[in-house]
Amino acid sequence: MQWQQIELDAGRLHVHRAKKGTPSVHPLQGDEIRALRRLRREQEASPFVFTSERGGPMSAKAWGNHFERLGRHAGMPFQCFPHMLRHACGFALANAGHDTRALQAWLGHRNIQHTVRYTELAPDRFKLFWK
């Protein structure tokens, strides 16, 4: 991710997807904006938000290793991968009752079949059908 994708004053993140996903613009919350501002102040000047010790972009492998160490440090009883955050986000939004199409756009899925996995397991998905 590069700093040019982040509009701190407007509170927006421009998401560019891998694997031919749909790009989108996501809102940033106040605590996220404050953390990003602090990170920008404290790190050496770089076009990249997350950098290696040498100041270059952090590779996917390095990020995966870092994430795995964080999981171990947190006492997780299983190996952690960065993609788990994406799945956790999908399930959390589905459980909060968000519309499947909106969830599809948020996650950048071109095909809604990839999104349905999150909503079909939502425990309260039929709760308000007759209200």
Side-chain angles (χ1 to χ4, degrees), residues 2-3 38-57:
Q2 295 190 23
W3 285 109
R38 189 173 107 208
L39 178 64
R40 192 166 203 181
R41 267 193 322 271
E42 293 175 358
Q43 76 180 35
E44 291 186 31
S46 170
F48 304 103
V49 178
F50 303 107
T51 58
S52 68
E53 292 174 354
R54 295 181 181 152

Side-chain angles (χ1 to χ4, degrees), residues 34-115:
R34 287 187 294 279
L36 286 166
R37 282 194 171 125
R38 189 173 107 208
L39 178 64
R40 192 166 203 181
R41 267 193 322 271
E42 293 175 358
Q43 76 180 35
E44 291 186 31
S46 170
F48 304 103
V49 178
F50 303 107
T51 58
S52 68
E53 292 174 354
R54 295 181 181 152
M58 185 176 279
S59 70
K61 183 168 178 40
W63 173 243
N65 291 339
H66 180 68
F67 197 80
E68 185 180 345
R69 282 192 305 273
L70 289 173
R72 278 197 311 269
H73 182 72
M76 298 304 257
F78 48 82
Q79 188 175 3
C80 294
F81 300 96
H83 198 76
M84 291 173 162
L85 289 177
R86 182 172 171 77
H87 289 301
C89 177
F91 284 116
L93 292 172
N95 288 339
H98 291 281
D99 172 82
T100 305
R101 287 286 178 186
L103 188 54
Q104 177 186 10
W106 182 267
L107 293 171
H109 293 156
R110 287 194 182 269
N111 186 333
I112 199 162
Q113 288 177 318
H114 298 288
T115 311

Side-chain angles (χ1 to χ4, degrees), residues 108-126:
H109 293 156
R110 287 194 182 269
N111 186 333
I112 199 162
Q113 288 177 318
H114 298 288
T115 311
V116 171
R117 75 173 72 176
Y118 301 110
T119 56
E120 65 190 5
L121 295 176
D124 295 329
R125 68 183 179 147
F126 301 128

